């Protein structure tokens, strides 16, 4: 059995508009007489100025490390794999630090993810740090399996890059002790069209099956296969679904055990539509196959009217810009809910609360395309213990002014009601009734005030 592989990275439409280079990178090598394939994929953090360089260094260094062992004649267990990838991660980060120092960059400006794998005829071992996906199809199955759940960190749209001090705590490692016929390692640019979020990020068979059968197992040459994938990733159909960079690394192990439900593969039946549909690769009319479709996931249609991630990138870039002279080794995590922007400052070093708040107040949060009414800031360590917390409002009227006005209004209202009771209540029964109404109004007012204060 022998391996075949192609890798392809294409810039996202959003990066084309803003003049940002493609921040994805991938690479692979087929070694040991085509019996073993090693691969790596990296996605540079959008807010990091030189993350494209960081991603390239991460992949190249990983491949160099993976190519130093004889995987064909040696097996590996979970604990050995964990120890190996711990060492590999440390090596990659040291190389990034070396280049950053040489070029005069901040290590944070080269932040990126990393996915890596080694596949032999009989087993596969993989690691993932950050978001992205690795999907496989074991030789014993016709179903596609996601190895690791998407890693987003503590907050939505966030992940822990390999340059973070806590990266080793988030790295995932797995050994699969059976032959694998198909591998797809990819960045999160294709996440929403290849995984079903509503089913706990299940691999979408109708996406991966045509990729394997119609492309990788066709009789096309390696260059032709790569061109097909490249054209598809650049297509308007894909760019309408995601404006992020897209990278896929596809590998197959030549085997007679793969039986496609669509019948044998004939290369003459594979052609590219002039205007790619959800299936950029389609069959000729004489042969019908299931196309690469969009996901049947209602969550994709429930996005807010504003795009959070680009604004998060802008906010983080501004925060780093104003704080980097005094605080070099901090991570920023953002979340946005009910018009409240939460900024988590994560580091083991001391961050002075007053000084940091003064630096953040130089940022005009009204300039971003998010309806922010309040900013919460908290400083905590990598071990998740809290140091300090602070919040301020962006409303034109400060919260304490709103509260005072509310109290004054309640006092006036209750005074008027008291006067009304004294005028209208001639009998004991009427007095009791009026005071019950008075008490109810007071209780409701206090309850509203308490809820506003939370």
């Amino acid at each position: 059995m022998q391996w075949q592989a192609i890798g392809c990275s294409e810039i996202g439409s959003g990066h084309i508009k803003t003049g940002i280079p493609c921040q994805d990178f991938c690479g692979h090598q087929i070694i040991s007489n085509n019996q073993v394939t090693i691969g790596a994929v990296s996605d540079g953090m959008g807010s990091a100025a030189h993350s494209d360089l960081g991603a390239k260094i991460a992949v190249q260094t990983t491949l160099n490390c993976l190519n130093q062992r004889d995987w064909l004649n040696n097996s590996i267990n979970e604990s050995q794999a964990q120890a190996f990838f711990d060492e590999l991660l440390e090596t990659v980060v040291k190389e990034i630090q070396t280049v950053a120092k040489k070029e005069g960059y901040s290590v944070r400006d080269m932040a990126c993810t990393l996915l890596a794998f080694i596949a032999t005829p009989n087993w596969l071992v993989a690691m993932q740090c950050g978001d992205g996906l690795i999907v496989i199809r074991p030789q014993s199955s016709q179903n596609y399996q996601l190895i690791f759940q998407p890693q987003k960190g503590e907050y939505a749209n966030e992940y822990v890059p390999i340059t973070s001090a806590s990266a080793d705590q988030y790295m995932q490692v797995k050994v699969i002790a059976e032959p694998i016929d198909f591998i797809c390692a990819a960045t999160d640019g294709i996440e929403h069209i290849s995984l079903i979020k509503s089913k706990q990020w299940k691999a979408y068979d109708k996406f991966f099956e045509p990729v394997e059968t119609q492309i990788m197992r066709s009789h096309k040459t390696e260059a032709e296969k790569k061109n097909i994938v490249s054209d598809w990733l650049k297509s308007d159909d894909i760019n309408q679904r995601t404006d992020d960079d897209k990278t896929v690394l596809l590998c197959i192990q030549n085997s007679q055990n793969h039986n496609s439900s669509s019948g044998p593969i004939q290369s003459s039946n594979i052609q590219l539509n002039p205007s790619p549909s959800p299936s950029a690769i389609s069959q000729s009319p004489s042969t019908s196959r299931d196309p690469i479709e969009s996901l049947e996931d209602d969550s994709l249609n429930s996005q807010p009217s504003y795009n959070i991630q680009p604004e998060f990138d802008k906010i983080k870039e501004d925060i780093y810009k104003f704080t980097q002279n005094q605080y070099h080794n901090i991570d920023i995590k953002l979340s946005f809910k009910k018009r409240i922007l939460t900024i988590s400052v994560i580091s083991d070093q001391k961050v002075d609360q007053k000084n940091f708040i003064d630096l953040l107040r130089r940022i005009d949060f009204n300039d971003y395309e998010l309806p922010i009414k309040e900013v919460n800031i908290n400083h905590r360590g990598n071990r998740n213990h809290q140091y300090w917390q602070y919040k301020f409002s962006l409303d034109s009227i400060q919260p304490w002014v709103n509260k005072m006005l509310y109290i004054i209004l309640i006092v006036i209202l209750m005074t008027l009601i008291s006067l009304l009771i004294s005028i209208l209540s001639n009998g004991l029964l009427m007095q009791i009734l009026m005071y019950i109404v008075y008490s109810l109004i007071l209780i409701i007012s206090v309850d509203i005030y308490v809820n506003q204060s939370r």
Side-chain angles (χ1 to χ4, degrees), residues 2 33 66 71 92 124 151 162 211 228 247 254 308 332 349 360 362 408 437:
Q2 295 184 333
N33 294 322
L66 296 181
W71 301 105
V92 171
L124 175 141
Q151 193 178 89
I162 61 173
V211 169
I228 291 172
T247 291
N254 284 337
I308 291 180
I332 301 295
Q349 72 178 109
L360 282 196
R362 298 165 64 184
I408 292 170
V437 173

Side-chain angles (χ1 to χ4, degrees), residues 3-47:
W3 286 95
Q4 294 181 5
I6 62 168
C8 190
S9 294
E10 295 298 338
I11 189 170
S13 57
H15 284 192
I16 294 175
K17 292 177 182 178
T18 56
I20 298 174
C22 179
Q23 296 171 317
D24 286 1
F25 200 83
C26 72
H28 71 276
Q29 294 178 21
I30 299 177
I31 57 179
S32 300
N33 294 322
N34 295 331
Q35 299 294 297
V36 176
T37 182
I38 56 176
V41 170
S42 182
D43 181 358
M45 183 179 283
S47 60

Side-chain angles (χ1 to χ4, degrees), residues 367-413:
D367 285 346
Y368 304 110
E369 296 181 7
L370 292 176
I372 304 171
K373 73 172 183 178
E374 186 177 287
V375 178
N376 288 345
I377 307 155
N378 64 77
H379 176 215
R380 55 190 180 84
N382 286 319
R383 301 298 179 184
N384 214 30
H385 48 280
Q386 186 79 27
Y387 290 130
W388 52 260
Q389 191 167 13
Y390 186 87
K391 66 180 178 181
F392 58 87
S393 173
L394 300 184
D395 291 341
S396 56
I397 301 178
Q398 293 298 316
W400 69 269
V401 177
N402 281 328
K403 291 177 181 179
M404 288 301 298
L405 292 174
Y406 185 81
I407 291 172
I408 292 170
L409 178 63
I410 292 301
V411 169
I412 294 173
L413 177 62

Side-chain angles (χ1 to χ4, degrees), residues 43 50 53 55 65 74 89 92 95 102 105 149 159 188 200 211 244 247 252 275 306 309 318 324 334 341 346 415:
D43 181 358
H50 304 288
L53 178 59
C65 291
N74 294 281
L89 189 64
V92 171
E95 183 63 23
K102 178 181 178 182
Y105 300 152
Q149 290 286 300
Y159 62 83
D188 69 332
Q200 297 184 329
V211 169
D244 198 4
T247 291
I252 59 167
S275 298
Y306 42 86
Q309 188 57 47
D318 287 342
Q324 64 182 355
L334 302 179
L341 176 68
I346 305 172
T415 302

